[in-house]
Amino acid sequence: MPPGSGSGSARSAPDRLLAVLAAFDHDHPALTLTDIGRRAGLTLTTAHRLVGALTEWGALERDASGIYHVGLRLWELAALAPRGLALRQIALPYLEDLYEATHENVQLAVRDGDEVVYIEWLSGRSAVGVHIRVGGRWPLHATGVGLALLAHDDPASQEVYCQSPLTPFTPYTIADAPRLRRVLAEVRRTGVAVSSRQVTEDALSVAAPVRGPGGAVVAAVSVVVPQAGAQVPVLTPAVRVAARGISRALGWQPDEPRRGSLIPGRGTTTP
Amino acid sequence: MPPGSGSGSARSAPDRLLAVLAAFDHDHPALTLTDIGRRAGLTLTTAHRLVGALTEWGALERDASGIYHVGLRLWELAALAPRGLALRQIALPYLEDLYEATHENVQLAVRDGDEVVYIEWLSGRSAVGVHIRVGGRWPLHATGVGLALLAHDDPASQEVYCQSPLTPFTPYTIADAPRLRRVLAEVRRTGVAVSSRQVTEDALSVAAPVRGPGGAVVAAVSVVVPQAGAQVPVLTPAVRVAARGISRALGWQPDEPRRGSLIPGRGTTTP
């Protein structure tokens, strides 16, 4: 066995390479070779070889001071993710319209397991400080987008989530199953999810589901505002209109609304 | 040698895994396992093993019909790229302002080798059809953003590019070294790059360089409009202001502008 290959030898080659990529996260966006080796559980020799291959390919970039960052090639690849940039590109005009109408923080999120991942976020410059970011994650039960996504999951999966441990972030976070069940029923009834002071004590979000071509909920859009003075009845129609606009752009076709006939049939008399 | 490992055996393990990722591009965003194996030059057995590892990690996602797509985990990782989402997040408010002021296509691009890569693109809904996309690439000499980036490269590298083959896309594309040198000098003199009918015959772009903390040009911002009736003198200040705004947000500090004293010194007399 060559020196330095020991620590990684029990793991497969793909696992070791992916461990190098996984060494980078929001708290560690810039790493030295030594950092990467330690965080990936690899010897310096193995880390050097794998980082070299990733850098040559463009997945990592080395700056003038020898620090490694995530590279442009991964950005280009990520642009192909149907639940990432591709969805965001379709949604962006509608998110901009929602921002124009409210001048508050506007978000688009998708579900990944028991969490939401934010794939777009337009910042209101005077808006409440928001503890989220593009690529950031939160559990479903705390956020407006998470509740909107969870409420439209199949009933059995919803029940599994309701019975799982519900981490509280503030005294207002939904932390018990009966309350979560009631809130999810309310979300389905009203078409919007409201998360008030459940992530931070100063913020409130109003979210609505985004549907794909077949009608399945694929994402959620929300507005986050300061909780003090939040006008939920004013925000609700704007968020719903934006969510329906994105859904239509994705190919969703709503059921025909019932309406009174505007064209009198033959043989009818008009007053 | 185990069956099926033959075709990839001459390449290193990292190379084979990266070849699977590289099988996905703009023209091939959704692939079957067989497609992936063929495009990556791997046997089905090897492709199956590597795709499995990438899917488990989240770099790929398999849909209900068994087709593979780029996964959300790569999107999250790409959000850490300083020249991708991170730059775009800082620039977005200024790009939105430029869009509001012009209602035309607005782009942000960075350089990668001899090409520009578009990392943001806001579409004017009534604007000219533009043959670019987020994650898309064009050679430096054809586009406004490319000319803005090239003009601020060091002189020796510029000369190397000038003497390389310059692909024409329309009869108006800059395709000879003397003309490219003259255009680059003009870009440095005026602070903006104009590409008229050089990518498609109906479009014109006005671009300006974006500077990082040390003053180096790190990106370029542009507006693309229909060539017929384009008002370059009107677009120029808007594009320059947006580019300077992004530069300041990145930490760039301009030299103090020279200005006449507005406050009369002691002992001076005002008329």
Side-chain angles (χ1 to χ4, degrees), chain A residues 75-76 85 88 120 137, chain B residues 75-76 85 88 120 137:
Chain A
W75 160 264
E76 294 180 68
L85 260 184
R88 174 237 170 236
E120 186 53 271
R137 287 174 175 267
Chain B
W75 160 263
E76 294 180 68
L85 260 185
R88 174 238 170 236
E120 185 52 271
R137 288 174 174 266

Side-chain angles (χ1 to χ4, degrees), chain A residues 16 27 29 42 57 77 103 122 136-137 145 169 178 214 259 264 271:
Chain A
R16 286 198 297 270
D27 296 322
L42 300 170
W57 194 74
L77 199 57
H103 281 92
L122 304 182
R137 287 174 175 267
V145 284
F169 300 97
R259 56 184 173 195

Side-chain angles (χ1 to χ4, degrees), chain A residues 243-269:
Chain A
R244 288 174 66 98
I246 299 167
S247 301
R248 285 178 199 272
L250 290 172
W252 170 70
Q253 293 187 319
D255 300 331
E256 276 296 302
R258 268 183 294 173
R259 56 184 173 195
S261 176
L262 297 175
I263 303 165
R266 288 184 190 182
T268 61
T269 52

